[in-house]
Amino acid sequence: MTQTITVIRGDGIGPEIMDAALYVLDALKTGLAYEEADAGLVALEKHGELLPQATLDSIRHNRVALKSPLTTPVGEGFSSINVELRKRFDLYANVRPAKSFPNTKSRFPSGVDLITVRENTEGAYIGEGQQLSHDGETAVLTQKVTRRGSERIVRYAFDLARATGRKKVTVVHKANILKSTSGLFLKVAREVAAQYPEIQCNELIVDNCCMQLVMKPEQFDIIVTTNLFGDIISDLCAGLVGGLGLAPGANIGTEAAIFEAVHGSAPDIAGKGIANPCALLLGVGQMLDHVGQPDNANRLRNAIVATLEAKDALTPDLGGTGTTMSFAKAIASRL
Ligand code: NAI
Ligand code: MG
């Protein structure tokens, strides 16, 4: 039976990088069928809402979506369409690989190969109970961490290590100070880790982790942490390997999974045909792993590396003079 994925072309550079990604995906002959759905500014203009019911239905039905960046207009209901999608589909695991690639402007052109697994549904990041006192002098926020939320994200990280042959999981926390919330996360993480004796587990306090990442990133394999720490650490890791043009992310839940680039809709370069398609293509690689096509995922990643090595048709952010589509064609020719 043909598997269908929901394709959201998105805003800004979204349609350009999606054209490039689908060109390469077609060349891979994965057999996947595409169902297009609108979200973001495009959807607001066409259907009068940022996240139409038809789009939610399509994702719910297909269970897999490939999504370009969306522009969330200021003052239009949700604080963020992306956060809303995570809530609707309980996308509890945010999985962001960071890997050194050749010919980038990175400080670490080799040696980095790590994955940040970030809890995506609870903790300080979701902004529960935000209040400002009438006099404007005091702000509060409730931070809630649950055993269920902690257990499923840590288990996800260890299962990922098992499935991908990775050897070590680093639990990142601040339990020395945030004794209740981060303390519960760490306690549950230790319990889960004990069930995976073949995988090395270590613990790091978040501030030390940030320093270690910058000094010796090669010591990391999989990092698992709570929502806000994961938000910051995964951007730090994207910076280690050359920035946004090469950073993909997966949002995985029990009901659906959404694959994307970490970057936004880049309005400053939209319509110019010069956006780097690699981040979304690396997201396609994560998607192919997820739908049980790891060989195609590896073919794609190898073709991206070979194109970077050859400096063939690279986009301006990587120092080249290529276009979004010429870069994609160069990648497709190396599959
Ligand atoms: P951005 O990531 O869109 O852009 C930051 C800088 O990186 C810009 O200079 C841009 O030109 C450059 N850049 C980003 N992607 C690139 C690519 N593929 N190739 C070459 N250069 C690239 O961040 P910004 O400007 O803060 O946000 C713009 C819009 O995107 C906002 O409306 C924001 O809400 C939205 N956004 C959406 C996300 C999503 O849908 N996942 C994530 C982040 C932001
Ligand atoms: Mg972020």
Side-chain angles (χ1 to χ4, degrees):
M1 205 182 73
T2 306
Q3 180 164 7
T4 302
I5 60 164
T6 300
V7 167
I8 299 172
R9 305 178 80 82
D11 300 313
I13 59 169
E16 300 163 52
I17 57 172
M18 187 59 82
D19 280 344
L22 295 183
Y23 178 88
V24 178
L25 197 51
D26 283 341
L28 269 169
K29 303 209 184 321
T30 60
L32 294 171
Y34 316 136
E35 181 173 273
E36 298 227 1
D38 293 321
L41 276 189
V42 170
L44 188 66
E45 280 156 20
K46 270 208 229 165
H47 314 285
E49 39 184 350
L50 287 166
L51 198 50
Q53 188 59 41
T55 301
L56 295 169
D57 291 344
S58 172
I59 298 171
R60 193 170 299 285
H61 181 251
N62 295 325
R63 301 173 68 95
V64 176
L66 182 65
K67 184 181 87 48
S68 268
L70 306 174
T71 300
T72 302
V74 178
E76 281 286 343
F78 323 128
S79 57
S80 152
I81 310 169
N82 293 307
V83 173
E84 189 63 25
L85 281 168
R86 288 173 198 168
K87 264 197 231 160
R88 295 287 181 113
F89 295 106
D90 193 25
L91 304 172
Y92 67 90
N94 190 294
V95 182
R96 291 187 173 181
K99 192 174 181 332
S100 295
F101 288 107
N103 292 325
T104 65
K105 291 178 192 147
S106 154
R107 283 168 199 273
F108 294 95
S110 69
V112 181
D113 182 8
L114 63 86
I115 302 175
T116 305
V117 176
R118 161 188 172 191
E119 203 291 320
N120 222 5
T121 62
E122 56 184 34
Y125 187 91
I126 65 166
E128 222 173 1
Q130 297 195 77
Q131 270 177 30
L132 187 63
S133 63
H134 289 304
D135 60 8
E137 295 292 317
T138 311
V140 292
L141 157 73
T142 310
Q143 189 179 152
K144 187 166 79 185
V145 166
T146 66
R147 169 172 284 278
R148 173 177 176 266
S150 303
E151 189 180 336
R152 65 180 180 171
I153 196 66
V154 177
R155 198 170 286 291
Y156 186 92
F158 276 91
D159 285 340
L160 182 66
R162 231 177 222 174
T164 55
R166 287 179 180 261
K167 307 264 178 292
K168 183 164 119 185
V169 173
T170 302
V171 178
V172 175
H173 65 90
K174 189 77 186 179
N176 52 326
I177 305 294
L178 305 173
K179 293 192 193 321
S180 63
T181 48
S182 215
L184 177 61
F185 178 75
L186 180 60
K187 179 172 187 287
V188 174
R190 285 176 179 164
E191 291 167 15
V192 173
Q195 296 163 32
Y196 297 78
E198 80 282 16
I199 294 161
Q200 192 194 334
C201 177
N202 68 337
E203 298 165 6
L204 271 185
I205 295 174
V206 62
D207 36 357
N208 182 22
C209 174
C210 291
M211 184 194 67
Q212 298 284 338
L213 275 166
V214 174
M215 303 275 297
K216 283 192 287 180
E218 65 281 356
Q219 69 182 293
F220 291 91
D221 199 349
I222 289 181
I223 291 172
V224 64
T225 191
T226 44
N227 205 341
L228 181 58
F229 296 161
D231 179 45
I232 298 165
I233 284 174
S234 59
D235 270 29
L236 193 165
C237 293
L240 291 179
V241 297
L244 288 172
L246 295 162
N251 296 279
I252 308 226
T254 42
E255 298 157 36
I258 300 180
F259 299 86
E260 62 184 351
V262 165
H263 63 70
S265 51
D268 52 336
I269 57 167
K272 297 186 177 159
I274 55 165
N276 183 348
C278 274
L280 185 60
L281 275 169
L282 291 165
V284 168
Q286 287 183 285
M287 180 182 81
L288 291 170
D289 280 327
H290 181 82
V291 301
Q293 298 198 24
D295 292 347
N296 278 332
N298 288 331
R299 276 175 69 207
L300 172 58
R301 285 186 282 258
N302 291 339
I304 291 172
V305 172
T307 309
L308 290 168
E309 252 158 16
K311 293 195 183 179
D312 184 5
L314 308 188
T315 42
D317 60 302
L318 295 174
T321 53
T323 64
T324 307
M325 212 41 170
S326 70
F327 195 3
K329 286 183 175 167
I331 293 168
S333 74
R334 289 181 171 80
L335 287 170

